[in-house]
Short mmCIF file of all heavy atoms in Angstrom, two decimals:
data_model
loop_
_atom_site.label_atom_id
_atom_site.label_comp_id
_atom_site.label_asym_id
_atom_site.label_seq_id
_atom_site.Cartn_x
_atom_site.Cartn_y
_atom_site.Cartn_z
N MET A 26 9.13 -9.42 32.75
CA MET A 26 8.90 -9.70 31.33
C MET A 26 8.76 -8.39 30.54
O MET A 26 7.98 -7.53 30.93
CB MET A 26 7.62 -10.51 31.18
CG MET A 26 7.79 -11.99 31.43
SD MET A 26 8.74 -12.82 30.14
CE MET A 26 7.53 -12.87 28.80
N PRO A 27 9.47 -8.26 29.45
CA PRO A 27 9.27 -7.08 28.61
C PRO A 27 7.92 -7.16 27.92
O PRO A 27 7.37 -8.24 27.77
CB PRO A 27 10.42 -7.17 27.60
CG PRO A 27 10.78 -8.61 27.54
CD PRO A 27 10.45 -9.18 28.89
N GLU A 28 7.46 -6.01 27.52
CA GLU A 28 6.20 -5.95 26.78
C GLU A 28 6.33 -6.77 25.49
O GLU A 28 7.33 -6.71 24.79
CB GLU A 28 5.94 -4.48 26.43
CG GLU A 28 4.72 -4.25 25.60
CD GLU A 28 4.67 -2.81 25.10
OE1 GLU A 28 5.73 -2.23 24.81
OE2 GLU A 28 3.57 -2.27 25.01
N LYS A 29 5.31 -7.53 25.17
CA LYS A 29 5.33 -8.30 23.92
C LYS A 29 5.16 -7.34 22.74
O LYS A 29 4.27 -6.49 22.74
CB LYS A 29 4.21 -9.33 23.90
CG LYS A 29 4.47 -10.54 24.76
CD LYS A 29 5.60 -11.42 24.22
CE LYS A 29 5.14 -12.29 23.06
NZ LYS A 29 6.27 -13.15 22.57
N ILE A 30 5.99 -7.53 21.76
CA ILE A 30 5.95 -6.63 20.61
C ILE A 30 5.95 -7.41 19.30
O ILE A 30 6.31 -8.57 19.24
CB ILE A 30 7.18 -5.69 20.59
CG1 ILE A 30 8.48 -6.51 20.68
CG2 ILE A 30 7.09 -4.66 21.69
CD1 ILE A 30 9.74 -5.70 20.45
N ARG A 31 5.53 -6.68 18.29
CA ARG A 31 5.65 -7.16 16.92
C ARG A 31 6.70 -6.27 16.26
O ARG A 31 6.69 -5.05 16.46
CB ARG A 31 4.31 -7.00 16.19
CG ARG A 31 4.30 -7.51 14.77
CD ARG A 31 3.23 -6.87 13.89
NE ARG A 31 2.00 -6.50 14.59
CZ ARG A 31 0.95 -7.30 14.78
NH1 ARG A 31 0.98 -8.52 14.33
NH2 ARG A 31 -0.11 -6.87 15.40
N ILE A 32 7.59 -6.85 15.48
CA ILE A 32 8.59 -6.05 14.78
C ILE A 32 8.07 -5.73 13.39
O ILE A 32 7.58 -6.60 12.68
CB ILE A 32 9.93 -6.81 14.69
CG1 ILE A 32 10.45 -7.13 16.08
CG2 ILE A 32 10.96 -5.98 13.90
CD1 ILE A 32 10.76 -5.94 16.95
N ILE A 33 8.21 -4.47 13.03
CA ILE A 33 7.72 -4.01 11.73
C ILE A 33 8.89 -3.44 10.93
O ILE A 33 9.73 -2.74 11.49
CB ILE A 33 6.66 -2.91 11.92
CG1 ILE A 33 5.47 -3.48 12.68
CG2 ILE A 33 6.21 -2.35 10.59
CD1 ILE A 33 4.53 -2.42 13.15
N VAL A 34 8.93 -3.72 9.66
CA VAL A 34 10.00 -3.20 8.81
C VAL A 34 9.47 -2.08 7.93
O VAL A 34 8.34 -2.14 7.43
CB VAL A 34 10.62 -4.33 7.96
CG1 VAL A 34 9.64 -4.87 6.93
CG2 VAL A 34 11.90 -3.86 7.27
N ASN A 35 10.28 -1.06 7.79
CA ASN A 35 9.99 0.00 6.83
C ASN A 35 10.68 -0.40 5.53
O ASN A 35 11.90 -0.31 5.41
CB ASN A 35 10.55 1.33 7.35
CG ASN A 35 10.30 2.48 6.38
OD1 ASN A 35 10.16 2.27 5.18
ND2 ASN A 35 10.25 3.67 6.91
N GLU A 36 9.89 -0.87 4.59
CA GLU A 36 10.47 -1.44 3.38
C GLU A 36 11.14 -0.40 2.49
O GLU A 36 11.95 -0.73 1.63
CB GLU A 36 9.40 -2.22 2.59
CG GLU A 36 8.94 -3.43 3.38
CD GLU A 36 7.94 -4.30 2.63
OE1 GLU A 36 7.43 -3.86 1.59
OE2 GLU A 36 7.67 -5.41 3.11
N ASP A 37 10.81 0.86 2.73
CA ASP A 37 11.48 1.91 1.95
C ASP A 37 12.92 2.10 2.41
O ASP A 37 13.76 2.57 1.65
CB ASP A 37 10.72 3.23 2.09
CG ASP A 37 9.36 3.16 1.41
OD1 ASP A 37 9.21 2.34 0.48
OD2 ASP A 37 8.47 3.90 1.82
N ARG A 38 13.17 1.75 3.67
CA ARG A 38 14.53 1.92 4.19
C ARG A 38 15.35 0.64 4.13
O ARG A 38 16.55 0.68 3.93
CB ARG A 38 14.47 2.36 5.66
CG ARG A 38 14.03 3.78 5.86
CD ARG A 38 14.29 4.19 7.29
NE ARG A 38 13.65 5.46 7.60
CZ ARG A 38 13.58 5.96 8.82
NH1 ARG A 38 14.10 5.33 9.84
NH2 ARG A 38 12.99 7.11 9.03
N CYS A 39 14.70 -0.49 4.37
CA CYS A 39 15.43 -1.76 4.45
C CYS A 39 16.09 -2.10 3.12
O CYS A 39 15.45 -2.09 2.08
CB CYS A 39 14.47 -2.87 4.86
SG CYS A 39 15.25 -4.51 4.87
N TYR A 40 17.37 -2.40 3.19
CA TYR A 40 18.07 -2.82 1.96
C TYR A 40 18.50 -4.28 2.04
O TYR A 40 19.40 -4.72 1.34
CB TYR A 40 19.25 -1.89 1.65
CG TYR A 40 20.36 -1.86 2.68
CD1 TYR A 40 21.59 -2.47 2.42
CD2 TYR A 40 20.19 -1.22 3.90
CE1 TYR A 40 22.62 -2.44 3.34
CE2 TYR A 40 21.21 -1.20 4.84
CZ TYR A 40 22.42 -1.79 4.56
OH TYR A 40 23.44 -1.78 5.49
N LEU A 41 17.81 -5.05 2.91
CA LEU A 41 17.98 -6.51 2.99
C LEU A 41 19.41 -6.93 3.27
O LEU A 41 19.91 -7.90 2.71
CB LEU A 41 17.44 -7.17 1.71
CG LEU A 41 15.96 -6.88 1.38
CD1 LEU A 41 15.60 -7.47 0.03
CD2 LEU A 41 15.04 -7.42 2.46
N CYS A 42 20.08 -6.20 4.17
CA CYS A 42 21.47 -6.52 4.48
C CYS A 42 21.59 -7.77 5.33
O CYS A 42 22.64 -8.39 5.41
CB CYS A 42 22.13 -5.34 5.19
SG CYS A 42 21.57 -5.09 6.91
N GLY A 43 20.51 -8.11 6.03
CA GLY A 43 20.54 -9.31 6.86
C GLY A 43 21.08 -9.11 8.26
O GLY A 43 21.15 -10.05 9.05
N GLY A 44 21.46 -7.89 8.59
CA GLY A 44 22.03 -7.62 9.91
C GLY A 44 21.09 -7.98 11.05
O GLY A 44 21.50 -8.59 12.04
N CYS A 45 19.84 -7.62 10.92
CA CYS A 45 18.86 -7.89 11.99
C CYS A 45 18.69 -9.39 12.17
O CYS A 45 18.64 -9.89 13.30
CB CYS A 45 17.53 -7.23 11.66
SG CYS A 45 16.89 -7.64 10.03
N ALA A 46 18.63 -10.12 11.08
CA ALA A 46 18.48 -11.58 11.18
C ALA A 46 19.70 -12.18 11.86
O ALA A 46 19.59 -13.15 12.61
CB ALA A 46 18.29 -12.17 9.78
N GLY A 47 20.86 -11.58 11.61
CA GLY A 47 22.09 -12.11 12.18
C GLY A 47 22.19 -11.93 13.68
O GLY A 47 22.84 -12.72 14.35
N VAL A 48 21.59 -10.88 14.22
CA VAL A 48 21.69 -10.64 15.66
C VAL A 48 20.51 -11.19 16.45
O VAL A 48 20.57 -11.29 17.67
CB VAL A 48 21.85 -9.13 16.00
CG1 VAL A 48 23.13 -8.58 15.39
CG2 VAL A 48 20.63 -8.34 15.54
N CYS A 49 19.44 -11.55 15.79
CA CYS A 49 18.27 -12.05 16.52
C CYS A 49 18.61 -13.38 17.20
O CYS A 49 18.98 -14.35 16.52
CB CYS A 49 17.09 -12.24 15.58
SG CYS A 49 15.68 -12.99 16.41
N PRO A 50 18.48 -13.45 18.53
CA PRO A 50 18.87 -14.67 19.24
C PRO A 50 17.96 -15.86 19.00
O PRO A 50 18.34 -16.99 19.27
CB PRO A 50 18.84 -14.24 20.72
CG PRO A 50 17.90 -13.08 20.76
CD PRO A 50 18.03 -12.39 19.45
N THR A 51 16.77 -15.62 18.50
CA THR A 51 15.83 -16.72 18.33
C THR A 51 15.44 -16.98 16.87
O THR A 51 14.48 -17.72 16.60
CB THR A 51 14.54 -16.43 19.12
OG1 THR A 51 13.95 -15.25 18.59
CG2 THR A 51 14.82 -16.24 20.60
N LEU A 52 16.17 -16.38 15.95
CA LEU A 52 15.89 -16.56 14.51
C LEU A 52 14.45 -16.17 14.15
O LEU A 52 13.81 -16.82 13.33
CB LEU A 52 16.16 -18.01 14.10
CG LEU A 52 17.57 -18.54 14.41
CD1 LEU A 52 17.70 -20.00 13.99
CD2 LEU A 52 18.64 -17.71 13.74
N ALA A 53 13.98 -15.12 14.76
CA ALA A 53 12.62 -14.66 14.49
C ALA A 53 12.53 -13.79 13.24
O ALA A 53 11.44 -13.43 12.82
CB ALA A 53 12.08 -13.88 15.69
N ILE A 54 13.69 -13.46 12.66
CA ILE A 54 13.71 -12.69 11.42
C ILE A 54 14.49 -13.48 10.38
O ILE A 54 15.53 -14.05 10.69
CB ILE A 54 14.39 -11.31 11.62
CG1 ILE A 54 13.59 -10.46 12.60
CG2 ILE A 54 14.54 -10.58 10.28
CD1 ILE A 54 14.27 -9.15 12.96
N ARG A 55 13.94 -13.52 9.17
CA ARG A 55 14.67 -14.16 8.08
C ARG A 55 14.74 -13.15 6.93
O ARG A 55 13.73 -12.55 6.56
CB ARG A 55 13.93 -15.42 7.63
CG ARG A 55 14.67 -16.18 6.52
CD ARG A 55 14.21 -17.63 6.42
NE ARG A 55 12.79 -17.73 6.08
CZ ARG A 55 12.04 -18.80 6.33
NH1 ARG A 55 12.54 -19.85 6.94
NH2 ARG A 55 10.77 -18.82 5.98
N VAL A 56 15.91 -12.97 6.40
CA VAL A 56 16.10 -12.03 5.30
C VAL A 56 16.68 -12.77 4.11
O VAL A 56 17.68 -13.49 4.24
CB VAL A 56 17.05 -10.88 5.71
CG1 VAL A 56 17.29 -9.94 4.53
CG2 VAL A 56 16.49 -10.11 6.90
N SER A 57 16.03 -12.64 2.98
CA SER A 57 16.55 -13.24 1.75
C SER A 57 16.83 -12.11 0.77
O SER A 57 16.63 -10.94 1.09
CB SER A 57 15.54 -14.23 1.17
OG SER A 57 14.43 -13.52 0.68
N SER A 58 17.25 -12.45 -0.42
CA SER A 58 17.58 -11.41 -1.39
C SER A 58 16.35 -10.64 -1.85
O SER A 58 16.45 -9.54 -2.39
CB SER A 58 18.27 -12.03 -2.60
OG SER A 58 17.44 -13.03 -3.16
N SER A 59 15.17 -11.20 -1.60
CA SER A 59 13.97 -10.53 -2.09
C SER A 59 13.00 -10.07 -1.01
O SER A 59 12.10 -9.29 -1.28
CB SER A 59 13.22 -11.44 -3.06
OG SER A 59 12.86 -12.64 -2.40
N LYS A 60 13.16 -10.58 0.24
CA LYS A 60 12.20 -10.15 1.25
C LYS A 60 12.71 -10.30 2.68
O LYS A 60 13.62 -11.07 2.97
CB LYS A 60 10.88 -10.90 1.09
CG LYS A 60 11.00 -12.40 1.34
CD LYS A 60 9.65 -13.10 1.18
CE LYS A 60 9.85 -14.60 1.29
NZ LYS A 60 8.67 -15.37 0.99
N TRP A 61 12.05 -9.52 3.56
CA TRP A 61 12.29 -9.53 4.99
C TRP A 61 11.08 -10.20 5.62
O TRP A 61 9.95 -9.87 5.28
CB TRP A 61 12.40 -8.08 5.46
CG TRP A 61 12.67 -7.88 6.92
CD1 TRP A 61 13.90 -7.63 7.48
CD2 TRP A 61 11.72 -7.84 7.99
NE1 TRP A 61 13.76 -7.47 8.83
CE2 TRP A 61 12.44 -7.60 9.18
CE3 TRP A 61 10.34 -8.01 8.07
CZ2 TRP A 61 11.82 -7.50 10.43
CZ3 TRP A 61 9.73 -7.92 9.32
CH2 TRP A 61 10.47 -7.68 10.47
N GLU A 62 11.30 -11.18 6.51
CA GLU A 62 10.18 -11.90 7.14
C GLU A 62 10.34 -11.92 8.65
O GLU A 62 11.44 -12.05 9.17
CB GLU A 62 10.14 -13.35 6.66
CG GLU A 62 9.74 -13.54 5.23
CD GLU A 62 9.76 -15.01 4.86
OE1 GLU A 62 10.87 -15.53 4.63
OE2 GLU A 62 8.69 -15.63 4.86
N PHE A 63 9.23 -11.86 9.33
CA PHE A 63 9.20 -11.88 10.80
C PHE A 63 8.31 -13.02 11.28
O PHE A 63 7.21 -13.22 10.75
CB PHE A 63 8.67 -10.54 11.31
CG PHE A 63 8.49 -10.48 12.80
CD1 PHE A 63 9.57 -10.60 13.65
CD2 PHE A 63 7.22 -10.30 13.34
CE1 PHE A 63 9.40 -10.54 15.03
CE2 PHE A 63 7.04 -10.24 14.72
CZ PHE A 63 8.14 -10.35 15.56
N PHE A 64 8.79 -13.74 12.28
CA PHE A 64 8.04 -14.87 12.84
C PHE A 64 7.67 -14.57 14.29
O PHE A 64 8.50 -14.71 15.20
CB PHE A 64 8.86 -16.15 12.71
CG PHE A 64 9.22 -16.45 11.29
CD1 PHE A 64 10.43 -16.01 10.76
CD2 PHE A 64 8.33 -17.11 10.46
CE1 PHE A 64 10.74 -16.25 9.42
CE2 PHE A 64 8.64 -17.35 9.13
CZ PHE A 64 9.84 -16.91 8.61
N GLN A 65 6.44 -14.15 14.47
CA GLN A 65 5.99 -13.72 15.79
C GLN A 65 6.15 -14.79 16.86
O GLN A 65 6.50 -14.49 18.01
CB GLN A 65 4.51 -13.29 15.70
CG GLN A 65 4.00 -12.66 16.98
CD GLN A 65 4.63 -11.30 17.23
OE1 GLN A 65 4.44 -10.38 16.44
NE2 GLN A 65 5.38 -11.17 18.30
N ASP A 66 5.92 -16.02 16.51
CA ASP A 66 5.97 -17.08 17.53
C ASP A 66 7.37 -17.28 18.08
O ASP A 66 7.54 -17.82 19.17
CB ASP A 66 5.43 -18.39 16.94
CG ASP A 66 6.14 -18.82 15.66
OD1 ASP A 66 6.56 -17.94 14.89
OD2 ASP A 66 6.27 -20.03 15.45
N LYS A 67 8.39 -16.83 17.38
CA LYS A 67 9.77 -16.99 17.87
C LYS A 67 10.28 -15.77 18.61
O LYS A 67 11.26 -15.85 19.35
CB LYS A 67 10.71 -17.28 16.69
CG LYS A 67 10.47 -18.63 16.04
CD LYS A 67 11.51 -18.85 14.95
CE LYS A 67 11.30 -20.21 14.28
NZ LYS A 67 12.16 -20.35 13.10
N CYS A 68 9.68 -14.63 18.40
CA CYS A 68 10.20 -13.37 18.96
C CYS A 68 10.03 -13.31 20.47
O CYS A 68 8.96 -13.59 21.00
CB CYS A 68 9.47 -12.19 18.33
SG CYS A 68 10.02 -10.59 18.94
N ILE A 69 11.13 -12.92 21.17
CA ILE A 69 11.09 -12.78 22.62
C ILE A 69 11.11 -11.30 23.05
O ILE A 69 11.38 -10.98 24.20
CB ILE A 69 12.26 -13.54 23.28
CG1 ILE A 69 13.61 -13.06 22.73
CG2 ILE A 69 12.10 -15.05 23.09
CD1 ILE A 69 14.82 -13.59 23.50
N SER A 70 10.84 -10.42 22.12
CA SER A 70 10.70 -8.98 22.40
C SER A 70 11.94 -8.35 23.01
O SER A 70 11.84 -7.43 23.82
CB SER A 70 9.49 -8.76 23.33
OG SER A 70 8.33 -9.35 22.77
N CYS A 71 13.11 -8.80 22.60
CA CYS A 71 14.35 -8.25 23.19
C CYS A 71 14.77 -6.92 22.55
O CYS A 71 15.57 -6.20 23.09
CB CYS A 71 15.48 -9.27 23.03
SG CYS A 71 15.99 -9.54 21.31
N ARG A 72 14.28 -6.63 21.39
CA ARG A 72 14.55 -5.37 20.66
C ARG A 72 15.98 -5.24 20.13
O ARG A 72 16.38 -4.15 19.70
CB ARG A 72 14.21 -4.14 21.52
CG ARG A 72 12.74 -4.09 21.88
CD ARG A 72 12.43 -2.94 22.82
NE ARG A 72 11.04 -2.93 23.18
CZ ARG A 72 10.14 -2.08 22.70
NH1 ARG A 72 10.51 -1.15 21.84
NH2 ARG A 72 8.88 -2.15 23.07
N ILE A 73 16.75 -6.28 20.19
CA ILE A 73 18.13 -6.21 19.70
C ILE A 73 18.14 -5.84 18.22
O ILE A 73 18.97 -5.05 17.77
CB ILE A 73 18.84 -7.56 19.93
CG1 ILE A 73 19.08 -7.77 21.42
CG2 ILE A 73 20.17 -7.62 19.16
CD1 ILE A 73 19.61 -9.16 21.78
N CYS A 74 17.22 -6.38 17.47
CA CYS A 74 17.19 -6.13 16.03
C CYS A 74 16.98 -4.65 15.72
O CYS A 74 17.59 -4.10 14.79
CB CYS A 74 16.09 -6.96 15.38
SG CYS A 74 14.46 -6.73 16.10
N ILE A 75 16.13 -4.00 16.50
CA ILE A 75 15.83 -2.59 16.25
C ILE A 75 17.10 -1.76 16.38
O ILE A 75 17.39 -0.90 15.55
CB ILE A 75 14.76 -2.09 17.24
CG1 ILE A 75 13.46 -2.85 17.03
CG2 ILE A 75 14.54 -0.58 17.07
CD1 ILE A 75 12.38 -2.52 18.04
N ASN A 76 17.87 -2.05 17.40
CA ASN A 76 19.10 -1.31 17.63
C ASN A 76 20.20 -1.67 16.63
O ASN A 76 21.11 -0.90 16.39
CB ASN A 76 19.60 -1.56 19.06
CG ASN A 76 18.62 -1.03 20.09
OD1 ASN A 76 18.03 0.02 19.91
ND2 ASN A 76 18.44 -1.79 21.16
N ALA A 77 20.10 -2.86 16.07
CA ALA A 77 21.15 -3.32 15.17
C ALA A 77 21.00 -2.82 13.75
O ALA A 77 21.97 -2.79 13.00
CB ALA A 77 21.17 -4.86 15.16
N CYS A 78 19.82 -2.43 13.34
CA CYS A 78 19.62 -2.01 11.96
C CYS A 78 20.37 -0.72 11.67
O CYS A 78 20.13 0.30 12.33
CB CYS A 78 18.14 -1.83 11.65
SG CYS A 78 17.88 -1.28 9.95
N PRO A 79 21.25 -0.71 10.67
CA PRO A 79 22.07 0.47 10.39
C PRO A 79 21.28 1.64 9.82
O PRO A 79 21.77 2.77 9.83
CB PRO A 79 23.10 -0.05 9.38
CG PRO A 79 22.47 -1.24 8.76
CD PRO A 79 21.61 -1.87 9.82
N VAL A 80 20.09 1.37 9.31
CA VAL A 80 19.32 2.46 8.70
C VAL A 80 18.01 2.74 9.43
O VAL A 80 17.16 3.46 8.93
CB VAL A 80 19.04 2.16 7.20
CG1 VAL A 80 20.33 2.19 6.41
CG2 VAL A 80 18.33 0.83 7.03
N GLY A 81 17.85 2.18 10.62
CA GLY A 81 16.66 2.45 11.41
C GLY A 81 15.37 2.00 10.75
O GLY A 81 14.33 2.65 10.89
N ALA A 82 15.43 0.87 10.07
CA ALA A 82 14.25 0.42 9.33
C ALA A 82 13.25 -0.35 10.20
O ALA A 82 12.13 -0.59 9.77
CB ALA A 82 14.67 -0.46 8.15
N LEU A 83 13.66 -0.73 11.40
CA LEU A 83 12.78 -1.55 12.24
C LEU A 83 12.17 -0.76 13.39
O LEU A 83 12.79 0.13 13.96
CB LEU A 83 13.56 -2.74 12.82
CG LEU A 83 14.16 -3.71 11.79
CD1 LEU A 83 14.88 -4.84 12.50
CD2 LEU A 83 13.08 -4.25 10.88
N SER A 84 10.93 -1.08 13.70
CA SER A 84 10.27 -0.48 14.84
C SER A 84 9.39 -1.53 15.51
O SER A 84 9.16 -2.60 14.95
CB SER A 84 9.44 0.73 14.41
OG SER A 84 8.51 0.36 13.43
N ALA A 85 8.91 -1.21 16.70
CA ALA A 85 8.10 -2.15 17.46
C ALA A 85 6.69 -1.63 17.63
O ALA A 85 6.45 -0.43 17.73
CB ALA A 85 8.72 -2.38 18.83
N GLU A 86 5.76 -2.58 17.64
CA GLU A 86 4.35 -2.25 17.87
C GLU A 86 3.88 -3.16 19.00
O GLU A 86 4.17 -4.35 18.98
CB GLU A 86 3.61 -2.59 16.57
CG GLU A 86 2.16 -2.21 16.53
CD GLU A 86 1.58 -2.53 15.16
OE1 GLU A 86 1.11 -3.66 14.97
OE2 GLU A 86 1.61 -1.66 14.28
N PRO A 87 3.17 -2.64 19.98
CA PRO A 87 2.71 -3.49 21.08
C PRO A 87 1.76 -4.57 20.60
O PRO A 87 0.95 -4.33 19.71
CB PRO A 87 1.99 -2.52 22.03
CG PRO A 87 2.14 -1.17 21.47
CD PRO A 87 2.73 -1.25 20.10
N LEU A 88 1.88 -5.73 21.22
CA LEU A 88 1.02 -6.85 20.83
C LEU A 88 -0.12 -7.04 21.82
O LEU A 88 -0.88 -7.98 21.70
CB LEU A 88 1.84 -8.15 20.82
CG LEU A 88 2.27 -8.72 19.49
CD1 LEU A 88 2.78 -10.12 19.70
CD2 LEU A 88 1.14 -8.73 18.48
N GLU A 89 -0.21 -6.19 22.79
CA GLU A 89 -1.20 -6.33 23.85
C GLU A 89 -2.61 -6.55 23.30
O GLU A 89 -3.04 -5.86 22.39
CB GLU A 89 -1.20 -5.05 24.70
CG GLU A 89 -1.82 -5.24 26.05
CD GLU A 89 -1.77 -3.94 26.85
OE1 GLU A 89 -1.12 -3.00 26.40
OE2 GLU A 89 -2.40 -3.88 27.90
N GLY A 90 -3.28 -7.52 23.86
CA GLY A 90 -4.65 -7.77 23.45
C GLY A 90 -4.79 -8.65 22.24
O GLY A 90 -5.88 -9.00 21.84
N GLU A 91 -3.68 -9.05 21.65
CA GLU A 91 -3.75 -9.88 20.45
C GLU A 91 -3.28 -11.29 20.71
O GLU A 91 -3.25 -12.11 19.81
CB GLU A 91 -2.89 -9.28 19.34
CG GLU A 91 -3.41 -7.96 18.81
CD GLU A 91 -2.57 -7.47 17.63
OE1 GLU A 91 -2.08 -8.29 16.87
OE2 GLU A 91 -2.44 -6.25 17.51
N LEU A 92 -2.85 -11.57 21.95
CA LEU A 92 -2.29 -12.90 22.21
C LEU A 92 -3.38 -13.89 22.56
O LEU A 92 -4.44 -13.53 23.00
CB LEU A 92 -1.27 -12.82 23.34
CG LEU A 92 -0.04 -11.97 22.99
CD1 LEU A 92 0.88 -11.88 24.20
CD2 LEU A 92 0.71 -12.59 21.81
S1 SF4 E 17 12.92 -8.31 19.23
FE1 SF4 E 17 14.60 -9.78 19.63
S2 SF4 E 17 13.67 -11.79 19.31
FE2 SF4 E 17 12.28 -10.29 18.39
S3 SF4 E 17 12.87 -10.23 16.24
FE3 SF4 E 17 14.04 -8.60 17.31
S4 SF4 E 17 16.01 -9.53 17.88
FE4 SF4 E 17 14.58 -11.18 17.37
S1 SF4 E 18 19.25 -4.70 9.51
FE1 SF4 E 18 17.81 -3.17 8.73
S2 SF4 E 18 18.38 -2.88 6.57
FE2 SF4 E 18 19.33 -4.78 7.26
S3 SF4 E 18 17.83 -6.39 6.70
FE3 SF4 E 18 17.41 -5.79 8.82
S4 SF4 E 18 15.83 -4.20 8.64
FE4 SF4 E 18 16.76 -4.43 6.63
#
């Protein structure tokens, strides 16, 4: 099992392109014209979104101890 993580967005970099939401296999990210949203209960900590963001706006934070 990979380490459980929370995905965090750097709002100064994110331009709401929707790319991360498009590659997330579990729909744990939703992007609209006005905001980026993350749903922890759906995330499987695969990190695909982090690698997919063209501007490096996403990062991971360990969730250890918070479950
Ligand atoms: S780590 Fe994986 S499951 Fe979690 S939000 Fe990113 S792409 Fe989706
Ligand atoms: S891929 Fe990056 S820039 Fe695009 S919506 Fe996701 S976090 Fe924002």
